[in-house]
Amino acid sequence: MTSLSDAQQPPLTADYYSKTCPRFHQVVQTIVVPKQSSTPTTAAATLRLFFHDCMVGGCDASVLIASNAFNKAERDQDINESLAGDGFDVVTRVKMALEIECPGVVSCADILALATRDLILQTGGPHYEIKFGRKDGLESRASNVEGKLGRANMTINDIIPIFESHKYTHREMVALMGGGHTIGFAHCKEFQSRLFGPKPDPSVHPKLAERLKAMCANSSEDPTLSAFLDPISAGNFDNMIFKNILNGLGVLGTDQAMASDPRTRPFVEEYARDQVLFFHDFARAMEKTSVYKVKTGDQGEVRRKCDAFNNHPQGKSV
Ligand code: HEM
């Protein structure tokens, strides 16, 4: 059989599983809702996992692939090593349930997209539409990750081109970074250079600095120590992060930097004033993210297990 060209691949659709797995959304909810209630770190873990998946070669579940003797996969690149286990766990559990409900039908990429959307809603964030029919990617290489994701020690001049390379506007970038960091946490190593020097960051509010220093005092012995990214309303998806950074209460240097740069500050101010606008823009930016470089038709497969390609240990040959 000849394969289709990229332009001939079918588009994503809202009712993709309506005949082949009509209870898809219900099954996702039966796993996701109780998991988030019992383990509130799940939503942030899943949102970050989804973003890190989409930015590296598209939303194709390539971040879920486990490394093996032949291939060092995306998730073992250093920036992904801190992806929290609850995100992987929720997808694995949904996949197991769906393989009983409708075997071989629902892709891991669609599960991750829908679980993320539902978890944002469960923490108080906006609803947005998700379309389905993503196929799981046939490639996952740690070496593909570099340059596609920001790091907390970067300047805003480093971050902006990364988002531009993914075709996001500055407004979308601010909405996404704020939305991503209104829930969840960061390990001390991601922000402690702002506190302890050699040159402590003067933009950190003294009260926050005091609190974070106390929290991270033993981080060299205990690298798991961490702090909420939104120290005022952690766990609630809201616009508090923007109010925080206008007051020097941004935990990550990159979040705080959005308040000083003239390309991003106007949006920070708008979103701090207007949560409805922030929710609207975040929702649109997530819809855009969720279709980024997706594979459909014969561009990928429906994996049997989310952490392994179906037939080839290394992924497609290069
Ligand atoms: C250049 C931009 C960004 C940088 C530098 C950045 C950096 C970071 C860092 C350093 C952490 C802490 C990781 C850890 O210590 O475990 C983090 C956490 C997180 N990020 Fe970002 N991030 C960026 C953009 C985004 C975007 C756009 C989203 C989603 C839309 C996002 C979602 C998250 C979430 C949800 C967490 C919390 C994870 C958890 O609690 O398990 N980030 N980010």
Side-chain angles (χ1 to χ4, degrees):
M1 201 177 85
T2 52
S3 59
L4 299 172
S5 73
D6 284 355
Q8 292 170 313
Q9 299 296 338
L12 301 181
T13 54
D15 60 354
Y16 186 79
Y17 295 113
S18 64
K19 294 209 167 58
T20 51
C21 196
R23 291 185 68 254
F24 168 40
H25 193 190
Q26 271 164 283
V27 172
V28 170
Q29 282 181 317
T30 58
I31 310 278
V32 164
V33 173
K35 163 100 180 158
Q36 171 64 13
S37 304
S38 62
T39 317
T41 46
T42 305
T46 309
L47 172 55
R48 186 168 184 237
L49 185 65
F50 180 61
F51 186 70
H52 282 217
D53 181 39
C54 294
M55 292 304 100
V56 180
C59 308
D60 65 352
S62 51
V63 74
L64 303 179
I65 290 289
S67 294
N68 59 32
F70 308 103
N71 183 40
K72 184 176 174 187
E74 282 175 31
R75 77 192 229 188
D76 287 317
Q77 209 264 2
D78 70 330
I79 202 167
N80 283 336
E81 279 173 349
S82 60
L83 287 170
D86 290 317
F88 294 94
D89 180 60
V90 82
V91 177
T92 305
R93 290 214 233 161
V94 171
K95 179 67 174 172
M96 281 164 62
L98 284 170
E99 286 304 291
I100 295 166
E101 176 80 20
C102 30
V105 170
V106 183
S107 69
C108 302
D110 278 345
I111 294 170
L112 182 54
L114 184 57
T116 301
R117 198 280 306 272
D118 282 5
L119 283 161
I120 289 170
L121 205 56
Q122 205 179 333
T123 54
H127 179 272
Y128 52 88
E129 294 301 326
I130 291 275
K131 292 181 175 158
F132 303 104
R134 289 167 197 75
K135 289 290 168 64
D136 297 325
L138 301 172
E139 184 183 32
S140 174
R141 290 178 205 287
S143 56
N144 288 344
V145 179
E146 200 53 53
K148 312 256 178 28
L149 293 162
R151 291 177 186 271
N153 62 359
M154 286 179 169
T155 66
I156 203 92
N157 282 335
D158 301 324
I159 299 282
I160 284 177
I162 295 177
F163 278 79
E164 285 176 348
S165 74
H166 298 301
K167 305 279 184 276
Y168 289 117
T169 63
H170 298 164
R171 178 183 278 279
E172 288 167 338
M173 177 184 117
V174 174
L176 284 173
M177 278 173 67
H181 297 167
T182 176
I183 51 175
F185 63 85
H187 293 86
C188 292
K189 79 173 172 56
E190 301 292 353
F191 54 81
Q192 60 191 6
S193 65
R194 303 182 68 212
L195 311 171
F196 298 110
K199 275 196 285 170
D201 181 344
S203 67
V204 191
H205 190 290
K207 281 255 161 16
L208 178 68
E210 201 181 305
R211 197 162 127 192
L212 294 177
K213 275 181 183 171
M215 288 173 86
C216 294
N218 290 325
S219 65
S220 49
E221 290 91 68
D222 183 357
T224 64
L225 290 175
S226 46
F228 289 121
L229 287 161
D230 171 354
I232 308 292
S233 73
N236 289 338
F237 196 106
D238 56 21
N239 68 338
M240 187 58 78
I241 182 103
F242 299 107
K243 299 180 191 180
N244 291 346
I245 63 182
L246 291 175
N247 291 315
L249 296 174
V251 172
L252 296 182
T254 37
D255 287 350
Q256 190 57 52
M258 291 194 293
S260 347
D261 193 280
R263 290 165 292 181
T264 48
R265 184 172 175 101
F267 307 122
V268 173
E269 287 175 341
E270 277 183 47
Y271 295 150
R273 270 195 309 270
D274 188 345
Q275 178 162 291
V276 174
L277 175 68
F278 163 53
F279 275 23
H280 172 272
D281 288 359
F282 178 76
R284 298 293 83 73
M286 285 302 289
E287 278 172 2
K288 177 168 168 173
T289 302
S290 76
V291 299
Y292 188 60
K293 294 187 177 168
V294 291
K295 281 119 193 147
T296 64
D298 62 10
Q299 292 170 313
E301 63 185 8
V302 172
R303 278 182 217 145
R304 284 188 290 276
K305 277 180 78 233
C306 291
D307 64 355
F309 304 112
N310 285 347
N311 296 319
H312 38 101
Q314 325 179 43
K316 77 176 180 201
S317 51
V318 280

